[in-house]
């Protein structure tokens, strides 16, 4: 017969960490807004042995604005990312990415921490965290450690999060005025769609030169990735048509998309290039004469 | 697990398994069957209810997560007698056909109008994009909500300009 | 006046306040929950079924084919489909065993403890290989072959200045009603009651009688619950599901609820037939069509279900609303090892309409003229004849629809303006149109074979109850029937109400399908009302000792020589209590002169056609290949709109289904398996994907319909897909002959 699920709705963080430590061999499912885990349970794709419901933990629902970065609790919902002016002003890409998630009901429940922990390469806000060089503060009963977001994933749906750890804080360096953000998601429909391709980028142009550019890509590799080779090629170069053309080719070596139920590798490759080129062309246009 | 919450305005204590889905709790324990299940994975929105005023899919929420919260279903949005202007608009403007998405659609529309009583068509479409309807093509649902917003605005302005009760 | 007026829907209040009772909202004491164990292979033989000895099997009820008291055959057209597979498995997810328990969870747990050992057989899951693969059905794997001939095809091609040929393909489409399939079976002594989400209650009666070895129709009572959408998907499938619940209920002697979850619904129930359609068209340089040769292949799936009638309607509509003297249509519905396909709004016509309309656009391109011009030149007019030789005598609205849609959409200006847009523009715009028709009612003499019945009953409180088995599945049947009765009697709509659909109580009006409810059953209801009025007047004349001619019924009152003698409601009450005329009923009588030959497919295929023209506008982002249908103008002729708001709702809802069919709705099938069986990956349009609709109702009345009304249910699903595809062609400069046209396909076409 079905085994009883070990369930805990902790009163505070300490209790949560204790539960994780106690059940570390059971692979505890940490439940927040339920937008990923509940469909999996309802469709019997997973049958958790232990569930930690952290939805009620105030300690994980904070937002602090610092001079150089924003600190978010993992329970920050997509709706909060869309609505909170502190987020909109300092990390506008988070707001844009959150807007493209599901629809209102999902935005009201889905969380930043959940999006990270679910580890899907199509997670909507993940390319944003990648380009912002976010830092994750992981916590267990034994203590805390910081992990660069860009080093968090170890493979498809795999991360370095240990069974007794949870994501405690997400530190996101804020966007400076001279940085120009860009966000584009392709889904099969205009709402309630999982990404086929998602691109987040920030760039800084001065005197026609791309001083800095960072590009995060979703759904085109086993994990969310940074387009390192493309960035290296672009950084410090004059933004002209030849460079834009070349960048569109080089980005192909930054990605390894697959054919799946939502799209094809070919389509993902082509649109990644097209979207990057569009961003760079728009950037060039906006900075003409600067 | 004992859950203290408020359902449709009534303080309620439930003794249920903490992992019980909110939709099951509403439909089976509370006999509030106006909340419908169309997919069980947060796609169709037929199970939309309000928790603390926010539209959520009740198939994705578990019992322990409504501890201390205010839950409102379509039954809670219906007056003792008659209908609200929002409900009447759906009937009048052709905002419903088979009706299975309608309770969730009205709850989602309520959540919108509570925040924004002057929505344009795009804002309405965005607010109900998580509620699938297979019958209407949405056009008349959008019209229904536009009309309801207008009715509610005019009602509000009547209240504003009404002389104080003597 | 009640006709043409947007009276409040009868079911409006209960649907907006959450009180409307759907099948899953209903429970019975001691009710069990049933689940189905299904095959996991497309073709094979069951060698053994193993039950885990560690499981307590006394705690559940299990039914297999040997528990069937009667015949293990789903009664429909052919006798090929079993309720439960006995030895042979013919498709993935075919039902084999049924399990009921006190909770759904427990029944599902039991299901995991059963193993089906099978010997797999070679299978055919590809329509293109249906003829050459494994033998599955009859001599040739053909469920049905249809041939329609008109004129002299070789002569037509000989007369042609140009000949154009092209092959078109359409994919599977899921009905995706938001309420999944469900029934509850309640057993009694030598009888069973079925409560269900369904379109055709009497189909269920006919299917369950032989299954349960019952002899009298009253032994099977079918009650339709409020139904959360059907679109054809709840036409024939509920026969199977009701049979399953009934078998569990009879064996357990308890009420049994079976409600599918979304995955099971997508995996196991019928869908729109995929098709391959080849066109060869002869035309003169002035655009005259001289020959239409059309070859149609449908994938019927593993069992015949309704495939032959779907094919029939597809074939009859294949040559469209165009004048052509030489036509040859060959249609075939093939057996494969895919799950069976079946009824879906449009019923074969959306596929053949898509192919034809794309072909007509190709004709225009060949001639270098606008697609509108080809249609203007060839659209049927009164006096013209269809592919089956049916001469159109009245209610032909091709040109009206075409011109209205063209004008309202500003097609001509936009067509030329978008063509001139810079070829370098990233966002391309396109506009395209389609012209189409849909026959109202059953094909040929089908209505005569069904002989639908409808009745009225006066209640003791002087209301009129309408008794039909026509189900309201959202389209508004209850409301329009009440309007028709009210109009005929000159009384308020509020005095007319529906009796509900309970087969023990209401007559068999025929199924709720085929765009027949308003026109065919509606006219029975209307004529029953006329009968009741006449009978009441006669009775009143007897009471008043006067001549019936002196009495009129006006504005809800009976007048004798102009003087009010009684209100309708008072006389109705009296009639009910004093043995006066308190009921009326009507049975369908075939109009004289209807000739139809089922063998040669010659004659009057339908009493009348409804007509439509759709204009779709799209925007395509050439960087991302995303398609956005920005505007959709429909001008559709329904004879007479009984309730204009509901007619527009039908047109818009059906159009969005067609838009989804053209752009995003894709059921991915591989080796007989459906890979995207969840709502997260089997997508339908959201409110943000739907265009703004501009809907124009055209009224070209039909003398044989109630108040001039014709059918509207299916018409809107026919024209949307080709109009959208034409607009995509226009925007991209490429041709798309296969739907859905996804961004992936556009990318391939633009970067060959």
């Amino acid at each position: 017969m079905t085994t009883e699920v070990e369930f805990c709705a902790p009163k505070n963080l300490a209790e949560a960490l204790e539960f994780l430590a106690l059940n570390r061999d059971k692979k505890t499912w940490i439940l927040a807004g339920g937008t990923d885990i509940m469909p999996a349970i309802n469709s019997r794709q997973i049958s958790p042995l232990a569930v930690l419901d952290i939805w009620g933990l105030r300690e994980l629902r904070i937002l602090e604005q610092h001079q150089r970065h924003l600190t978010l609790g993992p329970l920050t919902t997509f709706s909060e990312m869309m609505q909170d002016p502190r987020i909109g002003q300092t990390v506008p890409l988070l707001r844009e990415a959150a807007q493209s998630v599901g629809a209102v009901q999902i935005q009201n429940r889905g969380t930043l921490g959940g999006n990270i922990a679910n580890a899907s390469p199509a997670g909507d806000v993940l390319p944003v965290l990648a380009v912002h060089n976010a830092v994750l503060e992981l916590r267990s009963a034994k203590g805390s450690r910081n992990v660069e977001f860009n080093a968090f994933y170890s493979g498809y749906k795999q991360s370095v999060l240990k069974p007794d750890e949870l994501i405690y804080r997400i530190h996101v360096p804020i966007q400076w005025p001279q940085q120009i953000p860009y966000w584009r998601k392709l889904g099969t429909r205009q709402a309630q769609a999982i990404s086929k391709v998602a691109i987040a980028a920030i760039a800084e142009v001065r005197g026609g030169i791309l001083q800095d550019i960072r590009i995060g890509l979703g759904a085109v590799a086993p994990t969310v990735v940074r387009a390192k080779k493309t960035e290296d090629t672009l950084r410090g170069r004059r933004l002209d048509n030849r460079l834009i053309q070349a960048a569109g080719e080089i980005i192909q070596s930054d990605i390894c998309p697959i054919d799946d139920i939502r799209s094809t590798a070919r389509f993902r490759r082509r649109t990644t290039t097209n979207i990057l080129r569009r961003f760079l062309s728009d950037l060039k246009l906006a900075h003409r004469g600067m | 697990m004992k859950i203290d919450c408020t359902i449709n305005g009534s303080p309620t204590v439930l003794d249920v398994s903490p992992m019980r889905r909110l939709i099951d709790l509403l439909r089976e324990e509370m006999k509030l069957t106006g909340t419908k299940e169309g997919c069980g994975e947060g796609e169709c929105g037929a199970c939309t209810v309000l928790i603390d005023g926010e539209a959520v899919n009740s198939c994705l929420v578990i019992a322990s997560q409504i501890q201390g919260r205010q839950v409102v279903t379509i039954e809670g949005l219906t007056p003792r007698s008659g209908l609200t202007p929002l409900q009447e608009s759906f009937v009048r403007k052709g905002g419903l056909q088979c009706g299975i998405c309608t309770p969730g659609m009205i709850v989602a529309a309520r959540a919108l109008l509570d925040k924004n009583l002057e929505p344009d068509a795009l804002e309405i479409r965005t607010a109900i994009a998580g509620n699938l309807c297979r019958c209407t093509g949405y056009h008349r649902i959008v019209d229904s909500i536009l009309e309801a917003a207008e009715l509610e605005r005019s009602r509000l302005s009547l209240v504003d300009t009404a002389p104080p009760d003597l | 006046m009640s006709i043409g007026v947007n009276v409040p829907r009868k079911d409006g209040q209960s649907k907006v306040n959450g009180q409307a009772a759907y099948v899953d909202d209903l429970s019975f004491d001691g009710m069990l929950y049933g689940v189905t164990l299904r095959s996991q292979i497309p073709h094979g033989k069951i060698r053994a079924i193993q039950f885990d000895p560690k499981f307590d099997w006394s705690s559940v009820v299990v039914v297999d084919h040997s528990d069937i008291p009667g015949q293990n055959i789903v009664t429909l057209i052919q006798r090929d489909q079993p309720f439960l597979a006995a030895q042979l498995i013919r498709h993935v997810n075919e039902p084999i065993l049924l399990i009921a328990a006190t909770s759904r969870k427990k029944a599902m747990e039991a299901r995991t403890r059963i193993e089906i050992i099978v010997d797999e057989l070679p299978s055919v899951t590809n329509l293109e290989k249906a003829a050459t693969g494994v033998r599955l059905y009859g001599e040739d794997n053909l469920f049905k072959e249809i041939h329609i001939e008109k004129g002299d095809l070789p002569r037509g091609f000989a007369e042609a200045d140009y000949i154009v040929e092209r092959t078109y393909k359409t994919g599977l489409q899921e009905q995706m009603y938001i309420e999944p399939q469900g029934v509850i079976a309640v057993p009694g002594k030598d009888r069973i009651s079925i409560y269900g989400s369904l379109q055709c209650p009497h189909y269920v009666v006919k299917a369950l009688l032989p299954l349960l070895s019952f002899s009298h129709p009253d032994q099977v009572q079918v009650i339709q619950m409020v139904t959360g959408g059907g679109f054809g998907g709840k036409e024939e499938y509920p026969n199977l599901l009701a049979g399953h619940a009934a078998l569990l209920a009879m064996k357990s002697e308890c009420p049994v609820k079976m409600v599918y979850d979304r995955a099971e619904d997508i995996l196991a129930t019928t869908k729109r037939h995929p098709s391959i359609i080849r066109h060869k068209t002869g035309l003169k340089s002035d655009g005259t069509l001289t020959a239409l040769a059309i070859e149609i292949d449908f994938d019927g799936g593993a069992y015949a279900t309704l495939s032959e009638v779907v094919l029939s309607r597809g074939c009859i509509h294949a040559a469209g609303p165009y004048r052509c003297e030489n036509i040859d249509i060959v249609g075939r519905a093939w057996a494969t090892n895919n799950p069976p396909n079946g009824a879906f709004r449009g019923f074969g016509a959306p596929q053949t309409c898509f192919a034809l309309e794309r072909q007509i656009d190709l004709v225009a391109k060949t001639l270098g003229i606008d697609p509108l011009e080809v249609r203007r030149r060839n659209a049927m007019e009164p006096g013209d004849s269809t592919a089956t030789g049916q001469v159109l005598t009245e209610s032909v609205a091709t040109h009206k629809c075409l011109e209205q849609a063209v004008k309202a959409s500003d097609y001509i200006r936009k067509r030329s303006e978008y063509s001139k847009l810079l070829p370098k523009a990233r966002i391309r715009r396109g506009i395209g149109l389609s012209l189409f028709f849909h026959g109202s009612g059953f094909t040929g003499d089908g209505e005569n074979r069904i002989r639908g019945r409808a009745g009225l009953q006066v209640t003791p409180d002087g209301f009129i109850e309408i008794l039909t088995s026509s189900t309201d599945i959202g389209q508004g049947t209850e409301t329009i029937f009440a309007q028709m009765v009210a109009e005929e009697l000159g009384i308020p709509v509020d005095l007319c109400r529906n009796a509900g659909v309970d087969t023990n109580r209401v007559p068999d009006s025929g199924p709720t399908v085929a765009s027949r409810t308003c026109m065919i059953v509606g006219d029975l209801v209307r004529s029953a009302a006329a009968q009741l009025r006449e009978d009441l007047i006669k009775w009143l004349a007897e009471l008043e000792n006067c001549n019936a001619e002196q009495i009129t019924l006006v504005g809800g009152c009976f007048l004798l020589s102009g003087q009010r003698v009684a209100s309708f409601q008072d006389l109705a009450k009296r009639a009910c209590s004093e043995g006066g005329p308190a009921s009326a009923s009507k049975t369908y009588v075939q109009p004289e002169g209807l000739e139809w030959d089922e063998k040669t497919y010659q004659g009057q295929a339908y009493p009348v056609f409804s007509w439509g023209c759709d204009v779709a506008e799209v925007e395509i982002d050439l960087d991302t290949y995303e398609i956005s249908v920005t505007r959709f103008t429909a001008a559709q002729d329904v004879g007479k709109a009984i309730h204009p708001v509901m007619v527009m709702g039908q047109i818009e809802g059906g159009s969005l289904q067609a838009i989804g069919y053209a752009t995003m709705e894709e059921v991915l099938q591989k080796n007989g398996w459906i890979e995207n069986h969840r709502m997260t990956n089997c997508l339908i349009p959201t409110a943000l994907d739907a265009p703004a609709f501009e809907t124009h109702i055209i009224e070209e009345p039909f003398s044989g319909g109630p108040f001039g009304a014709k059918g509207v249910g299916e018409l809107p699903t026919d024209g949307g897909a080709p109009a959208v595809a034409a607009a995509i062609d226009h925007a991209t400069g490429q041709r798309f002959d296969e739907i859905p046209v996804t961004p992936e396909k556009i990318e391939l076409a633009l970067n060959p």
Side-chain angles (χ1 to χ4, degrees), chain C residues 694-715:
Chain C
E694 185 170 333
T695 310
H696 296 263
I697 298 174
I698 307 291
E699 296 185 318
E700 190 68 44
F702 170 49
S703 60
F707 312 99
K710 305 188 282 191
V712 65
E714 295 173 284
L715 178 74

Side-chain angles (χ1 to χ4, degrees), chain A residues 5 7 9 31-35 38-39 41-43 48 51 53 55-56 61 83 103-106 108-109 189 191-192, chain B residues 1 18-19 21 40-43 45 48 51 54-57 59-62 64-65 69 108 126-127 129-132:
Chain A
V5 183
F7 180 87
L31 183 70
T35 56
M38 289 304 290
I41 292 177
N42 291 346
S43 63
V51 172
D53 174 10
W55 183 252
R61 207 177 277 283
Q83 287 154 15
V104 176
Q105 292 91 329
I106 300 297
N108 283 337
R109 297 289 292 187
R189 59 184 175 191
Q192 297 282 70
Chain B
M1 182 175 177
M19 289 279 284
R21 301 186 307 166
E41 51 187 13
E43 279 295 320
T48 302
I51 297 183
E54 303 283 355
V56 306
N57 293 309
C59 71
L60 301 185
V61 176
I62 60 169
S64 83
Q65 298 182 331
R69 313 265 176 186
T126 304
N131 296 76
L132 297 178

Side-chain angles (χ1 to χ4, degrees), chain A residues 130-150:
Chain A
V131 300
H132 272 273
N133 290 327
V135 173
L136 307 181
E137 189 176 342
L138 311 181
R139 186 165 282 195
S140 71
K142 286 181 281 181
S144 276
R145 61 174 179 136
N146 282 357
V147 175
E148 299 257 346
F149 176 78
N150 286 318

Side-chain angles (χ1 to χ4, degrees), chain C residues 654-677:
Chain C
S655 296
L656 188 59
Q657 290 179 354
I659 292 166
Y661 187 41
T663 57
M664 73 166 72
E665 293 186 33
E666 196 163 27
V667 180
L668 303 165
Q669 209 170 40
K670 199 168 162 189
N671 302 326
W673 270 97
I674 291 168
E675 297 184 302
N676 54 338
H677 56 268

Side-chain angles (χ1 to χ4, degrees), chain C residues 435-446:
Chain C
L435 185 66
F436 49 97
F437 68 161
H438 203 97
S440 300
F442 269 106
T443 305
D445 55 359

Side-chain angles (χ1 to χ4, degrees), chain B residues 27 33-39 41 43-44 46 74-75 78 82-83 87-88 90-94 96-103 106 122 125-126 128-129 131-140 142, chain C residues 9 11-13 15-20 22 24-25 173-176 178-180 227-229 231 262 344 473-474 645 648-650 652-653 656-657 665 678-680 684-688 690-693:
Chain B
R27 290 178 53 83
T33 55
T35 302
K36 308 297 182 189
E37 178 159 1
C39 69
E41 51 187 13
E43 279 295 320
C44 75
I74 186 66
E75 290 86 354
T78 304
L83 300 172
Q87 290 169 318
E88 277 171 0
F90 268 74
V91 178
R92 191 166 40 239
K93 303 290 277 188
L96 68 99
Q97 288 184 29
C98 85
I100 194 80
C101 76
T102 311
I106 287 174
L122 181 63
R125 285 179 185 270
T126 304
I128 60 165
N131 296 76
L132 297 178
C133 167
R134 189 59 155 165
C135 294
T136 64
Y138 302 105
H139 190 90
R140 272 153 223 288
V142 175
Chain C
R9 288 182 70 106
D11 52 353
Q13 172 144 344
K15 283 179 174 173
V16 295
N17 67 15
Q19 295 305 304
Y22 297 78
D24 202 22
D25 302 335
Q173 191 185 17
E174 162 61 36
Q175 291 88 354
M176 205 64 95
I178 306 298
E179 179 206 30
T227 297
F231 318 115
R262 182 57 61 182
F344 188 164
I473 54 175
V645 161
M648 289 194 275
Q650 286 296 299
E652 290 155 10
L656 188 59
Q657 290 179 354
E665 293 186 33
R678 297 170 59 181
M679 262 194 174
T680 51
I684 60 168
T686 70
L688 284 170
F693 284 101

Side-chain angles (χ1 to χ4, degrees), chain C residues 492-511:
Chain C
V493 176
D494 293 344
L495 279 185
C496 310
R497 58 192 186 208
N498 244 259
V501 177
D502 171 347
T503 57
N504 277 9
R505 179 149 188 246
V506 298
D508 185 355
S509 318

